[in-house]
């Protein structure tokens, strides 16, 4: 059951900005639940590919999202009962996720599933519309970003470590294309909300970013009546 009293920290930001890494660490430090909302769009894209549903088939994609058999168990992501943790991280599935995420009926189909993560003692949620649509009542909203060049470098390191052969230039182009699509779409676009705090991690370590969010959370906590 959803616990609407459970506090929410919403972290939104562009691709490869580090939101997932920071959100997971903040959640671990506070012993809060963690929602990786991008994983749901990636799972929808992967399930669509596996079922032969095309990315321009809105009805088909909506049905895939509605019927998504996905679970998150201690960092392991299952799709149809099989591990999909790594499979959803490919650049191709990221691209597909960005396309399915632009469809309003797909987003609607995934909304209740995301809100069900709001449980005591609290939730840290990362994505593009955590603070605007899914948890507009979040006690702390953060817009976490970094320059496209820094993000491309970070993603490049990540992919090289996984043995993928890809150039920084290609990653930078993909990131810029995805930023444009995620920000320009009409439904739930990626924007920095007026009530979100800006965290530019271009020149920060992961630890510094995590400490900043935890510091902001303490401030929010201490100013609550
Ligand atoms: N402040 C930082 N300094 C250096 N590397 C970082 C920093 N933050 C994140 N990283 C690294 O950048 C890479 C991308 O981070 P992460 O996957 O958390 O980004 P993301 O915003 O969740 O991406 P996506 O939106 O594509 O899921 C990871 O390898 C992570 O370790
Ligand atoms: N709340 C969200 C989360 C993700 N998306 C889209 C945008 C991305 O292109 C794609 C994959 O997300 P990532 O794993 O890179 O965070 O899903 C969205 O529209 N809304």
């Amino acid at each position: 059951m959803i616990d609407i009293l459970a506090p929410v920290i919403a972290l939104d930001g562009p691709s490869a900005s580090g939101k997932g890494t920071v959100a997971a660490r903040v959640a671990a430090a506070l012993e809060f639940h963690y929602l990786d909302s991008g994983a749901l769009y990636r799972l929808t894209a992967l399930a669509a590919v596996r079922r032969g549903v095309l990315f321009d088939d809105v009805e088909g994609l909506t049905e895939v999202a509605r019927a998504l058999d996905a679970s998150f168990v201690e960092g392991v992501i299952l799709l149809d009962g099989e591990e999909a943790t790594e499979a959803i991280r490919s650049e191709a599935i990221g691209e597909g996720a960005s396309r399915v995420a632009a469809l309003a009926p797909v987003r609607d189909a995934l909304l209740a599933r995301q809100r069900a993560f709001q449980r005591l003692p609290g939730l840290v949620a990362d994505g593009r519309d955590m603070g605007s649509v899914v948890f507009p009542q979040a006690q702390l909203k953060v817009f976490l970003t970094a320059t496209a060049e820094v993000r491309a470098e970070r993603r490049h390191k990540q992919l090289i470590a996984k043995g993928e052969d890809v150039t920084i230039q290609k990653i930078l182009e993909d990131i810029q294309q995805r930023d444009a699509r995620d920000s320009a779409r009409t439904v739930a676009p990626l924007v920095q909300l007026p009530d979100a705090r800006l965290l530019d991690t271009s020149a920060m370590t992961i630890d510094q970013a995590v400490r900043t969010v935890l510091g902001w959370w303490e401030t929010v906590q201490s100013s609550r009546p």
Side-chain angles (χ1 to χ4, degrees), residues 90-102:
S90 74
E91 283 299 285
I93 292 301
E95 164 71 15
S98 175
R99 291 184 61 183
V100 304

Side-chain angles (χ1 to χ4, degrees), residues 146-202:
T147 64
E149 288 73 18
V150 167
R151 288 185 282 133
E153 265 177 46
R154 289 176 184 169
R155 184 64 96 218
H156 186 246
K157 268 195 201 153
Q158 210 176 16
L159 294 175
I160 291 294
K162 281 202 285 183
E164 288 191 35
D165 181 21
V166 59
T167 64
I168 292 199
Q169 188 52 38
K170 170 77 175 75
I171 296 173
L172 181 59
E173 282 164 19
D174 288 352
I175 279 181
Q176 286 167 333
Q177 206 174 38
R178 207 170 303 169
D179 283 357
R181 188 183 298 128
D182 293 344
S183 309
R185 68 184 180 217
T186 48
V187 280
L190 171 68
V191 283
Q192 186 192 341
L193 300 168
D195 57 345
R197 302 185 195 213
L198 176 64
L199 182 56
D200 186 333
T201 68
S202 304

Side-chain angles (χ1 to χ4, degrees), residues 98-122:
S98 175
R99 291 184 61 183
V100 304
L103 305 171
V106 170
R107 304 194 72 86
D108 288 347
L110 294 174
L111 191 55
R113 197 187 283 260
Q114 294 173 77
R115 288 187 172 150
F117 278 77
Q118 187 183 0
R119 292 168 192 274
L120 287 169

